[in-house]
Amino acid sequence: VQLQASGGGLVQAGDSLRLSCAASGGRTFSQYVLGWFRQFPGKKHEFIGYVTWNGHTTHYADFVRGRFTISRDNSKNTAYLQMNNLKPEDTAVYYCAADPSIRTSSAYAHWGQGTQVTVSS
């Protein structure tokens, strides 16, 4: 499956942003768990959370603390990362990833190209 992340940009602290992850090819979209990660310069991918195949279950890293919400629309082959109350420390490249299994590590089979999010103070 090919993944295309979009929606990043430059925002101010306290703003909201919604990232999208559009999928094409591969298995039926609903056969994949969709995960979101971010990467700071020189660091490994940091797990943000995932949404399961039918969208009924989500799981988040502790740092999210209710600010981020992951969802998906299987009819549009798209997953979303809604980010609220953004902080300068959220500045990173954000990636979506897909795997047939639930994973909280970066061992997802398929990755998108990443979208830059920059939060100014």
Side-chain angles (χ1 to χ4, degrees):
V1 64
Q2 289 76 48
L3 303 173
Q4 179 81 29
S6 62
L10 174 62
V11 298
Q12 294 186 334
D15 283 352
S16 297
L17 202 60
R18 187 177 80 159
L19 306 183
S20 298
C21 176
S24 61
R27 302 183 185 184
T28 302
F29 183 64
S30 60
Q31 292 182 300
Y32 294 102
V33 173
L34 266 293
W36 284 95
F37 292 79
R38 65 185 184 182
Q39 188 175 32
F40 303 107
K43 301 293 185 180
K44 296 180 180 179
H45 290 99
E46 179 180 64
F47 173 75
I48 296 173
Y50 64 71
V51 58
T52 55
W53 308 269
N54 57 11
H56 291 175
T57 302
T58 53
H59 173 76
Y60 300 96
D62 289 343
F63 78 85
V64 169
R65 296 183 181 178
R67 293 193 300 126
F68 296 175
T69 302
I70 297 173
S71 61
R72 66 190 295 163
D73 185 340
N74 286 345
S75 69
K76 296 181 179 179
N77 289 352
T78 302
Y80 304 97
L81 174 64
Q82 175 69 42
M83 302 186 291
N84 298 326
N85 190 24
L86 283 162
K87 305 175 181 180
E89 52 264 40
D90 293 318
T91 296
V93 179
Y94 285 72
Y95 295 86
C96 59
D99 196 273
S101 302
I102 290 175
R103 301 184 185 280
T104 58
S105 73
S106 60
Y108 279 66
H110 309 281
W111 289 80
Q113 86 289 0
T115 184
Q116 175 71 47
V117 172
T118 303
V119 185
S120 64
S121 57

